[in-house]
């Protein structure tokens, strides 16, 4: 490879990586701002650190990462919950305990 082409190649690579990350950021922001949501009802099976495992009503197991410590402390195993999450990225936006 020619040594004069190396800086151009590195710059082009950085441009492509930046373009991909900006595209992902745009999709995530649009997903968070849109009103389209998924609603999942089920029972919390267990907590592993910041991840809760929810057994949905249709029998499938779903994992959710909870980043808010106050919410994570309030959730216990065997709680019946309703989780509203974004449509594309599946980020939980509301968790309701149903008893």
């Amino acid at each position: 490879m020619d040594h004069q082409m190396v800086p151009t190649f590195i710059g082009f690579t950085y441009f492509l990586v930046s373009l991909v990350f900006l595209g992902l950021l745009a999709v995530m922001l649009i997903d968070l701002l849109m009103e389209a949501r998924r609603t999942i009802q089920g029972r919390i099976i267990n907590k592993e650190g910041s991840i809760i495992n929810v057994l949905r009503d249709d029998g499938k197991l779903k994992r959710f990462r909870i980043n808010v410590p106050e919410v994570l402390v309030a959730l216990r195993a065997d709680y019946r919950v309703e989780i509203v999450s974004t449509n594309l990225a599946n980020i939980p936006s509301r968790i309701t305990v149903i008893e």
Side-chain angles (χ1 to χ4, degrees):
M1 187 178 248
D2 190 14
H3 291 290
Q4 294 175 350
M5 294 295 290
V6 171
T8 305
F9 178 72
I10 291 174
F12 184 70
T13 303
Y14 284 147
F15 171 74
L16 284 179
V17 169
S18 300
L19 192 64
V20 168
F21 280 124
L22 285 175
L24 288 173
L25 179 66
V27 168
M28 295 282 280
L29 284 175
I30 290 170
D31 189 31
L32 286 172
L33 296 176
M34 285 179 43
E35 295 298 321
R37 300 283 189 241
R38 290 184 196 173
T39 302
I40 296 171
Q41 292 185 353
R43 184 169 305 281
I44 297 176
I45 300 299
N46 64 351
K47 293 188 330 185
E48 300 171 355
S50 65
I51 295 175
I52 62 170
N53 294 314
V54 177
L55 182 63
R56 298 186 338 193
D57 289 341
D58 62 358
K60 294 182 181 177
L61 188 65
K62 191 75 176 165
R63 295 173 56 133
F64 291 98
R65 180 178 303 275
I66 309 299
N67 293 328
V68 181
E70 294 84 18
V71 174
L72 190 62
V73 169
L75 296 175
R76 303 265 186 253
D78 291 333
Y79 275 6
R80 182 153 175 73
V81 292
E82 178 180 73
I83 300 175
V84 178
S85 60
T86 60
N87 201 21
L88 296 175
N90 204 22
I91 299 170
S93 60
R94 186 181 72 204
I95 300 175
T96 307
V97 176
I98 304 170
E99 295 182 310

